[in-house]
Amino acid sequence: MRDLRCYTLHFFFQVEGAKLYNGETGYVASSFDQCTKEMEGNSTVEGFNKVSECYRELIADQLKVPIEQVIPISRDCYDSNTEDDSSTDQDDDD
């Protein structure tokens, strides 16, 4: 039977020195949807690291910083350094 599982890979990065963040530390999150086991092993750790490195290169290029300034981080690190925008969208008119 064919493996029909579908994964979403999440990537989190800390970016140092980008103009977008006024030269300060900034944070970027991205995801790769509909990653199947059959997509060149992307559901393995090796595949995850390969795709993560591609995202790192793209982010460095887009933000015009050296790749060394785009640092992979954990989701917990990302969450603790960024605000949750969804909590500010709610009205407190009770």
Side-chain angles (χ1 to χ4, degrees):
M1 175 179 251
R2 193 169 145 209
D3 188 350
L4 299 176
R5 289 179 286 181
C6 184
Y7 303 90
T8 299
L9 305 177
H10 297 276
F11 305 95
F12 303 93
F13 301 97
Q14 176 178 309
V15 180
E16 300 291 337
K19 286 184 181 180
L20 177 67
Y21 303 115
N22 298 318
E24 300 292 324
T25 300
Y27 297 90
V28 177
S30 190
S31 62
F32 181 43
D33 292 331
Q34 299 181 358
C35 176
T36 64
K37 189 173 182 177
E38 296 170 350
M39 293 177 63
E40 298 180 35
N42 288 332
S43 63
T44 66
V45 172
E46 276 183 19
F48 178 89
N49 290 338
K50 180 179 172 184
V51 175
S52 178
E53 193 62 22
C54 290
Y55 273 96
R56 240 180 115 206
E57 291 172 10
L58 289 170
I59 291 166
D61 185 53
Q62 289 176 345
L63 297 179
K64 297 178 181 19
V65 297
I67 194 166
E68 296 80 21
Q69 291 177 223
V70 180
I71 304 158
I73 59 173
S74 69
R75 172 178 247 154
D76 288 340
C77 183
Y78 176 85
D79 288 343
S80 68
N81 286 288
T82 58
E83 294 181 20
D84 181 29
D85 293 333
S86 63
S87 64
T88 60
D89 293 339
Q90 298 174 355
D91 292 331
D92 293 326
D93 292 335
D94 295 316

